[in-house]
Amino acid sequence: MWKRKELKKNARRSIRQNYWRMVSVCFLIALLTASYPLATAFLGVHPLSHIDTISNLHQTFETETTSQILEETATRLFHNTDIENLYQNPSATYTNLLVDLYADSTSTFFAVLKIFNTFLDEHFDFIVFILGISAILAFLYRIFVNNILIIGEKRFFLESKNYKDTRISKIFFLYKLHYIRRPAFTMFFRSLYQFLWNFTVIGGIYKHYEYWMIPYILAENPRISKKNAFFLSRQLSNHNKKKLLLLDLSFLGWKMLSLLSLGLVDFLYVNPYMATCKAELYLTLRRNYVLSRSPGYEYLDDSYLEHIPSEDELLISKALYDDSEGPYTQTSYFAPDQYPVFLFSVQPPFSAVRSPVNPVRKYDLWSCIFLFHAFSIFGWIVENLIHLLKTGEFSFDGAVFFPWAPMYGIFGILLLLFMKKLIPKPELVFFLNFAVYTLIEYLASWILELGYSLKVTAYSDYLFTLNEHTYIGGSAVFALLGCAFLYYLAPKWTEAFSHLKKNIRIVLCILLSLIFLGFVFKISLPYIWWLA
């Protein structure tokens, strides 16, 4: 028998010992999946979108909020002025805001709604094709990225209970194991069944708690079949559904406070707190289930989640493992406060096991020049892919240095020059990244607007902006991207670059620099003539 008070007490103790990593994991999951929509609301709320009249139905490619997509569907289906009056009612503003905060407009369901709206508007052309591709991509993303990362998040919180040095990268553990298909298959049917049961409302709530344990079960044992995963989830939630509902309701006050702070409290405390509580609850339920030798208990086979091996046990286990020549034999994965991955039930292929990336390395002049161009071009590609998926069209707006986004390159080089000594402190690196990028974007936007009359960024509809030149959401996302560049991308790209012959490296850097400087000269020429 478990009690909420004891559960929350243990959760708070776990948060104190690993707070920043837990916050970082929840924030990453919020950005990469639809698990915590409220947590990222403060990053990019469009307050004006809820005050406008009904949007132009022909502007299919404009970025739409969830409430606007639903509004368009209702208006086109019923052709009723009462529907329009309902959405223009001031009280609807708050309802729309709640819908936008808690629903994901990039999901497969809303992607299909966009296509449906386009069909009703009789646009049977390339628009429908692009939206169809977007819907397919959203569907595949949901199956092979969204659901897999949710399992990874559960794994992180399960391990961090007893292993203080659990890494943030644990959310990608299934990708590292190259074990995707079976967990993705099971999670797909969980989402499908839940979606269908939601139409019955009461059945949807009941099944939500019946299926609640499945991601945790898959995080413990990814090899388990769909049938056994659903069976164990039913067994673990049996006689606990009401208590699970009451546990969720006990966080209602925190959620109200999060809503009032536009998600800031959700980001800083509520999500890690809830995630830790639920991981604590799963460990309690699975412990009782295994000890009672209930049907199917043998599938809950990760005893190291509960039992922390001693140093002697680890040494003996590692020696036996090396004798068996497992995939981790040549690479040391042997940290005192980390889960012993070489004893996990699923082992990666030999080709997937490599030495960890070392971010503390030297970068010579040519490597820095190459990384400036690589990160600039990478940033331009990422921005345009996101724009294509969100709006269905290619956009070259703001592509002043096509295909470079030099702000990325400048930011990356500054990180390499000034953040190297802070690499052991990723939390501090994140906040410094945030501050540095905010300053760079503000100055770059101000200089381009003042000197060249170019409006590269448009943040007039966002909250928390600095004179519409930069805003908190973009800075937070970019700070995370900067961490990815510093800790992973830069070392990996430099390693690949160093494999080229020295002459080829030099020629490549000079060629890229000349092309880039050509764009800079082209943009600067009118200003030079004006000065002359």
Side-chain angles (χ1 to χ4, degrees):
M1 188 64 65
W2 56 277
K3 296 182 179 179
R4 289 197 305 274
K5 185 177 180 179
E6 188 67 25
L7 203 68
K8 292 183 176 182
K9 180 181 178 181
N10 293 336
R12 288 191 294 269
R13 186 184 302 117
S14 295
I15 288 176
R16 281 194 294 270
Q17 70 183 18
N18 212 358
Y19 173 74
W20 285 111
R21 286 183 181 176
M22 290 180 175
V23 170
S24 300
V25 165
C26 287
F27 185 59
L28 280 172
I29 294 298
L31 289 177
L32 298 173
T33 74
S35 298
Y36 305 116
L38 183 58
T40 52
F42 78 98
L43 299 181
V45 176
H46 292 263
L48 301 180
S49 64
H50 302 290
I51 303 174
D52 297 337
T53 56
I54 292 182
S55 58
N56 186 346
L57 302 183
H58 296 284
Q59 293 177 344
T60 309
F61 280 143
E62 293 297 323
T63 302
E64 297 173 300
T65 63
T66 306
S67 59
Q68 288 173 336
I69 295 171
L70 292 174
E71 177 185 338
E72 287 188 12
T73 304
T75 304
R76 297 184 187 197
L77 279 176
F78 300 106
H79 301 288
N80 193 328
T81 56
D82 292 338
I83 297 292
E84 296 184 9
N85 293 333
L86 176 64
Y87 276 99
Q88 291 176 356
N89 193 305
S91 62
T93 300
Y94 304 102
T95 304
N96 290 341
L97 179 59
L98 288 173
V99 170
D100 290 334
L101 289 176
Y102 286 100
D104 178 20
S105 63
T106 62
S107 67
T108 307
F109 175 73
F110 287 103
V112 172
L113 272 188
K114 287 181 182 180
I115 298 176
F116 181 67
N117 291 341
T118 307
F119 270 111
L120 291 180
D121 205 32
E122 298 181 357
H123 285 288
F124 303 98
D125 50 18
F126 186 68
I127 296 175
V128 177
F129 173 75
I130 292 294
L131 289 177
I133 295 296
S134 298
I136 294 171
L137 290 176
F139 176 72
L140 294 175
Y141 185 90
R142 177 74 63 172
I143 295 175
F144 295 109
V145 179
N146 189 95
N147 289 341
I148 299 302
L149 291 179
I150 288 173
I151 297 173
E153 179 208 15
K154 308 309 180 192
R155 183 71 199 184
F156 170 86
F157 280 98
L158 290 178
E159 287 190 16
S160 62
K161 161 69 176 176
N162 291 314
Y163 299 93
K164 299 178 182 179
D165 199 25
T166 302
R167 302 295 186 182
I168 295 172
S169 59
K170 185 61 67 173
I171 64 176
F172 304 107
F173 87 107
L174 287 176
Y175 295 109
K176 293 180 179 180
L177 295 176
H178 288 208
Y179 201 85
I180 302 295
R181 286 187 295 178
R182 180 169 287 187
F185 176 79
T186 303
M187 288 292 287
F188 165 72
F189 279 98
R190 174 184 180 261
S191 300
L192 177 62
Y193 296 160
Q194 183 66 62
F195 176 76
L196 296 175
W197 276 106
N198 284 344
F199 288 106
T200 65
V201 183
I202 300 298
I205 298 174
Y206 182 87
K207 290 297 181 180
H208 168 76
Y209 292 106
E210 185 174 288
Y211 300 154
W212 180 79
M213 306 287 180
I214 291 176
Y216 291 95
I217 295 169
L218 291 171
E220 178 175 356
N221 181 9
R223 299 176 303 165
I224 193 170
S225 67
K226 176 179 77 72
K227 178 181 177 182
N228 289 325
F230 275 81
F231 171 75
L232 282 176
S233 185
R234 284 195 297 271
Q235 292 293 100
L236 290 173
S237 62
N238 193 26
H239 304 302
N240 283 298
K241 296 181 184 67
K242 182 179 178 180
K243 295 183 71 175
L244 288 170
L245 174 61
L246 292 175
L247 176 64
D248 281 340
L249 292 177
S250 70
F251 292 103
L252 190 59
W254 280 110
K255 283 296 180 182
M256 292 298 294
L257 184 59
S258 299
L259 188 60
L260 292 174
S261 66
L262 294 177
L264 184 60
V265 175
D266 227 40
F267 160 58
L268 291 176
Y269 187 72
V270 179
N271 288 331
Y273 185 27
M274 292 182 65
T276 307
C277 277
K278 291 179 179 180
E280 184 79 32
L281 174 58
Y282 173 77
L283 289 172
T284 301
L285 293 176
R286 69 154 318 267
R287 183 190 310 120
N288 296 335
Y289 196 80
V290 171
L291 290 176
S292 65
R293 298 294 190 268
S294 299
Y297 80 93
E298 64 274 8
Y299 294 112
L300 303 176
D301 57 359
D302 195 350
S303 61
Y304 293 106
L305 289 175
E306 297 280 356
H307 168 65
I308 305 175
S310 65
E311 186 176 344
D312 290 339
E313 286 180 285
L314 281 174
L315 288 171
I316 295 171
S317 300
K318 189 68 168 67
L320 293 172
Y321 180 87
D322 288 345
D323 289 341
S324 67
E325 296 185 353
Y328 289 116
T329 301
Q330 301 300 324
T331 305
S332 177
Y333 280 81
F334 199 47
D337 290 323
Q338 292 183 28
Y339 179 91
V341 294
F342 64 92
L343 296 178
F344 189 53
S345 59
V346 178
Q347 293 291 285
F350 282 86
S351 60
V353 179
R354 299 180 180 88
S355 298
V357 174
N358 179 24
V360 184
R361 60 169 299 162
K362 293 182 179 180
Y363 297 94
D364 59 20
L365 175 63
W366 297 111
S367 295
C368 288
I369 294 174
F370 170 75
L371 288 174
F372 166 79
H373 294 295
F375 200 40
S376 297
I377 295 172
F378 172 79
W380 185 89
I381 293 172
V382 168
E383 284 188 354
N384 280 273
L385 281 177
I386 293 174
H387 188 274
L388 175 64
L389 291 176
K390 289 178 67 176
T391 65
E393 67 176 356
F394 294 97
S395 174
F396 295 95
D397 294 340
V400 182
F401 304 101
F402 166 82
W404 276 264
M407 204 175 327
Y408 287 78
I410 295 171
F411 183 58
I413 297 303
L414 288 175
L415 293 183
L416 296 180
L417 293 176
F418 300 108
M419 299 288 186
K420 183 179 291 187
K421 293 183 179 180
L422 300 175
I423 282 177
K425 301 178 180 179
E427 297 86 6
L428 180 59
V429 170
F430 172 81
F431 286 110
L432 288 176
N433 286 355
F434 181 91
V436 170
Y437 176 75
T438 301
L439 179 62
I440 291 174
E441 185 179 38
Y442 184 90
L443 291 176
S445 178
W446 179 74
I447 290 171
L448 288 172
E449 185 176 350
L450 181 66
Y452 301 100
S453 299
L454 293 173
K455 187 73 173 180
V456 178
T457 55
Y459 298 133
S460 57
D461 289 343
Y462 290 86
L463 295 178
F464 311 117
T465 69
L466 294 177
N467 296 331
E468 301 180 11
H469 291 303
T470 184
Y471 85 110
I472 187 174
S475 297
V477 173
F478 212 100
L480 284 174
L481 190 58
C483 289
F485 175 77
L486 184 63
Y487 287 95
Y488 185 79
L489 295 178
K492 278 289 187 181
W493 288 347
T494 303
E495 183 181 351
F497 180 67
S498 63
H499 289 161
L500 300 175
K501 294 181 179 179
K502 185 176 181 180
N503 292 338
I504 296 177
R505 295 202 301 268
I506 294 173
V507 170
L508 179 61
C509 289
I510 292 174
L511 183 61
L512 289 172
S513 299
L514 288 175
I515 296 173
F516 176 71
L517 290 173
F519 283 109
V520 174
F521 180 75
K522 181 180 178 181
I523 295 297
S524 303
L525 191 59
Y527 191 64
I528 294 173
W529 280 110
W530 181 79
L531 288 176

